[in-house]
Amino acid sequence: MTDHLGELAALGTAVCWALGSLAFTRAGRRIGSLPLNVIRLALALLFAVIAGLALRGRALPTDATAEQWWWLGLSGFVGYFLGDLCQFRAFIEIGPRLTLLIMALAPPLTAVVDFAVLGQRLTPLSLLGMAITLAGVAWVLSERTPAAATPGPAAPRLRGILLGLGGALGQAVGLVLSKRGMVGYEPLAGAQIRMLVGLACFVALVLAASAGPRLRAALGDRGALGYATVGALLGPFLGVSLALFALQRTSAGVAASLLSTSPIFIIPLAARLEGERVGLRGLLGAVVAVAGVALLFAG
């Protein structure tokens, strides 16, 4: 069993992210996506500060260079701010299951951005994996979903899908920017920089949009705070910690492929906890999409 700790950690990460997305969805329906993003990033940063003190002897990334702050800060703006702004709204519009499935497009998009920006080579097998992932996601999204199965307000389905795509693209660009900033630096401290910049951007948006009363009301909603705390603990903190452990214990390709299985784990959870009716196409499409991601990293 000890020979497969990395693989088990990667699967544990996928489960954490699936459960975390459900918690964030429930919190977002109560308080809205903007207050939720401020609260969950503040909580995640608090957990990261505690971990930094325990593991690095530093509460904050005070040892980062100006170049690392630039690239990781830019990654936080694109990934944690722009990307998560879209993703968390998509949670509310189309639910956690479809949003996580669309987020499975993030690895292929990362490969494309990596190729365009850093010149990373794409093999024929990688291109095949990207095509299969896109086909799997498109297959599920083309399924007609009963109104009762789609949680949240009766907003146009297309808008939720576009928001999910925006979240996947933000995550992809953010990862490539992180790759530039993480050279010779510790992952936990790098994640703190991204959180700090993302949180600062959301606070600035709250001030610009005069959303202070909404944020204060959200802080008074104990139920939403409970869901947000669970989501922050499972997602940005525990999930990321397990992902880093997985990357240390197994190959990056195997870890990334297992991390991408969240859309499969979310299916029974969404059916049980959200009351979503998932058909055979929804199940098979998710499996096809994850298989495509596995092929992408195999290439």
Side-chain angles (χ1 to χ4, degrees), residues 37-54:
N37 271 300
V38 174
I39 292 170
R40 64 109 188 174
L41 273 181
L43 289 169
L45 183 59
L46 174 62
F47 294 141
V49 165
I50 296 171
L53 282 171

Side-chain angles (χ1 to χ4, degrees), residues 124-220:
L125 193 57
S126 296
L127 293 171
L128 176 62
M130 292 164 59
I132 290 175
T133 300
L134 181 60
V137 172
W139 190 26
V140 175
L141 294 180
S142 66
E143 184 177 28
R144 289 169 100 46
T145 305
T150 303
R157 181 183 171 91
L158 178 60
R159 184 173 65 185
I161 292 172
L162 292 176
L163 285 167
L165 289 172
L169 182 60
Q171 185 179 106
V173 176
L175 285 174
V176 174
L177 292 171
S178 291
K179 190 174 179 179
R180 287 287 299 269
M182 286 303 301
V183 177
Y185 201 46
E186 297 181 39
L188 176 60
Q192 286 180 324
I193 293 176
R194 298 184 73 213
M195 290 177 192
L196 283 166
V197 173
L199 178 59
C201 290
F202 276 115
V203 170
L205 181 59
V206 166
L207 295 175
S210 300
R214 288 173 55 198
L215 180 58
R216 285 192 293 271
L219 291 172

Side-chain angles (χ1 to χ4, degrees), residues 220-233:
D221 189 326
R222 292 186 178 181
L225 286 178
Y227 285 128
T229 301
V230 171
L233 182 63

